[in-house]
Amino acid sequence: MQRDHWTSRFGFIMATAGSAVGLGNIWKFPYMAGAHGGGAFLVLYLVCVLGFGLSLVIAELLVGRMSRLNPVGAYRKVAGGAWPAVGALGVFTAIIILSFYCVVAGWTIAYLVYAVEGTLTPTRAGGLDALFDNLIGSGLTPLLYAFGFVIATILIVARGVGRGIERASKLFMPLLVVLLLVMAIRALTLPGATDGLWFFLKPDFSALDGATASAALGQAFFSLSLGLGGLITYGSYMSSQQHLGRDALAVVLLDTGIAILAGLMIIPTMFAAGMTPDQGGPGTTFKVLPAVFASLPGGHWIAIGFFALLVLAALTSSISMLEPVVAYLVDERRVSRTKAAWLAGAVCMMLAVPVSLSFGAWQGVTLFGMTLFGLFDYFASNLSLPFGGLMIAIVVGWILGPKAIAAIGPAGSTPGLWAQGWLFVVRFIAPAGIVWILVQGLL
């Protein structure tokens, strides 16, 4: 069976950056920056991304390109032994994440509809708090939106790498950047937005502490979609002539640039509305920000643009969650791509039912003191993803070692001194950072 491949370097960068760009870039990064000192957090985040995250992105892409296989097959080929179990954990985690990610994406689609209808105003009956609570607790409605989101993901992935993932990413990613630029420019023209701009861009290093360092390190890790196996899968479609370091840097810079644009959009907007940007997650996104938008000139269009952004970001990320599962079924089980996409998507939709109901009829059902949504999120974010990142660092840094350096450049080239520095980071600095993230997650 001939393996799919990227048709262009631009397509690869758009797709791989899209895998990293998700809801966390648009809603979590501005909150983290707002809660941890603004500019000081931004500087530390950039240091972590370039000094830590970039090395792991290269490592995952390298394993994928060396193996030309899905995460399970990749670990088997480059490391052998029991290492394929690590790839299997990544595939399993992708299903788990997509099953609750699609629920949140469904809420986002619903709010885009509300924004278009013009009903996202604090004066509506019951207010915005009641609107959100009624949506997530209504049973069928959020599930229909979640199913629609998963089906859209399936249809893109089923078309393959070149005709599906790459083509969609070439459309969605530039559109997302344009929307973000327009929204950020609009935010910066609001009265009072200048205070938010200086808060975000002017570092106050007296605000730095251990909590800020942990937050920046964790955000750098999770914002790049590390530890999941998606980058291994995307790397398996790369040409042997592509320069891993250069292309990985382009991906990381694009992902980081989008997070910064999101900060330039959200933080000045919050300041303009007389609020502090230290609230995050669904509470701010679905309850607070619509009220903020409604209080601003042109708020109706701002709300439409914002939720359209969220839908696009969610979709580019969900594609990379489904693809490792599909690649596993195609490579290891010899299932056709179309059947694999629908099978994996169906499993995600089945799991999404109890996840969504954990906000409504099954709210009282808990495991280990958490709702199913909370349990899935905790397992993925606190355990599986950091563990996966640690394992890729060990495989590349210690099992492959010098072989990784030899394979990092385009075929026939000799890697420069930067490759030695990269291997040092993967061997020593990256594992230390990931262990810190694991410990913080467990605590």
Side-chain angles (χ1 to χ4, degrees):
M1 184 183 297
Q2 186 176 3
R3 189 164 188 79
D4 243 336
H5 61 276
W6 306 111
T7 64
S8 67
R9 177 174 178 255
F10 176 75
F12 161 77
I13 292 172
M14 291 298 102
T16 309
S19 75
V21 172
L23 296 175
N25 290 70
I26 309 299
W27 84 27
K28 188 176 181 181
F29 176 80
Y31 152 69
M32 296 296 282
H36 294 282
F41 173 87
L42 176 60
V43 170
L44 197 55
Y45 171 76
L46 292 174
V47 170
C48 291
V49 164
L50 295 175
F52 165 82
L54 173 60
S55 295
L56 288 174
V57 170
I58 295 173
E60 289 207 27
L61 293 174
L62 176 70
V63 168
R65 189 169 73 171
M66 288 180 69
S67 64
R68 303 289 183 196
L69 290 168
N70 65 91
V72 176
Y75 275 102
R76 180 188 302 114
K77 187 170 182 177
V78 303
W83 285 99
V86 177
L89 177 64
V91 171
F92 174 72
T93 304
I95 294 177
I96 293 297
I97 294 177
L98 187 53
S99 68
F100 69 79
Y101 195 84
C102 72
V103 173
V104 180
W107 303 342
T108 303
I109 297 172
Y111 267 66
L112 176 59
V113 173
Y114 296 155
V116 171
E117 293 173 344
T119 57
L120 283 182
T121 60
T123 57
R124 64 171 289 119
L128 291 170
D129 284 13
L131 176 67
F132 181 63
D133 293 339
N134 290 337
L135 171 67
I136 66 175
S138 63
L140 182 60
T141 300
L143 277 173
L144 291 177
Y145 282 119
F147 289 170
F149 178 81
V150 175
I151 289 171
T153 305
I154 291 170
L155 292 174
I156 293 170
V157 172
R159 289 181 60 83
V161 174
R163 295 189 305 120
I165 299 172
E166 184 175 348
R167 187 173 296 177
S169 300
K170 286 180 177 179
L171 172 64
F172 295 154
M173 286 299 292
L175 180 58
L176 189 151
V177 171
V178 169
L179 276 173
L180 260 176
L181 279 170
V182 171
M183 295 282 289
I185 292 170
R186 178 68 185 96
L188 294 173
T189 62
L190 296 170
T194 305
D195 291 338
L197 177 65
W198 285 118
F199 170 80
F200 182 51
L201 296 183
K202 185 178 180 181
D204 176 11
F205 292 112
S206 66
L208 290 179
D209 55 22
T212 303
S214 294
L217 187 61
Q219 182 67 18
F221 181 88
F222 294 113
S223 70
L224 293 172
S225 194
L226 296 167
L228 182 64
L231 292 178
I232 292 177
T233 308
Y234 278 19
S236 73
Y237 306 129
M238 290 181 72
S239 162
S240 60
Q241 296 302 316
Q242 284 184 250
H243 192 294
L244 268 174
R246 183 187 63 191
D247 289 355
L249 178 62
V251 168
V252 168
L253 290 178
L254 181 55
D255 173 73
T256 304
I258 286 174
I260 292 172
L261 278 176
L264 290 173
M265 174 183 67
I266 296 296
I267 293 177
T269 299
M270 299 286 278
F271 270 80
M275 303 178 67
T276 56
D278 55 359
Q279 302 178 67
T284 292
T285 305
F286 298 107
K287 295 180 179 181
V288 177
L289 283 178
V292 171
F293 297 151
S295 69
L296 300 173
H300 171 70
W301 296 106
I302 295 176
I304 291 174
F306 175 73
F307 286 106
L309 271 173
L310 286 184
V311 172
L312 281 175
L315 190 55
T316 60
S317 194
S318 69
I319 291 168
S320 71
M321 296 176 198
L322 189 63
E323 178 60 21
V325 187
V326 171
Y328 166 77
L329 293 172
V330 172
D331 291 345
E332 306 290 325
R333 303 300 176 187
R334 299 304 182 202
V335 179
S336 72
R337 172 169 280 273
T338 300
K339 289 181 180 179
W342 283 101
L343 177 61
V347 172
C348 291
M349 285 190 280
M350 286 190 291
L351 288 173
V353 174
V355 168
S356 182
L357 290 177
S358 68
F359 293 94
W362 292 6
Q363 193 169 13
V365 178
T366 60
L367 291 171
F368 306 105
M370 293 175 276
T371 65
L372 194 58
F373 183 99
L375 181 63
F376 280 15
D377 185 21
Y378 180 85
F379 165 77
S381 300
N382 295 56
L383 302 175
S384 182
L385 292 182
F387 178 78
L390 181 61
M391 293 302 101
I392 198 74
I394 292 173
V395 166
V396 172
W398 296 101
I399 295 180
L400 290 177
K403 292 180 183 178
I405 292 182
I408 200 169
S413 68
T414 302
L417 288 176
W418 72 270
Q420 297 288 344
W422 163 76
L423 186 62
F424 177 83
V425 172
V426 172
R427 277 182 165 177
F428 299 105
I429 298 177
I434 297 170
V435 168
W436 179 260
I437 293 171
L438 267 169
V439 170
Q440 294 300 308
L442 290 172
L443 293 178

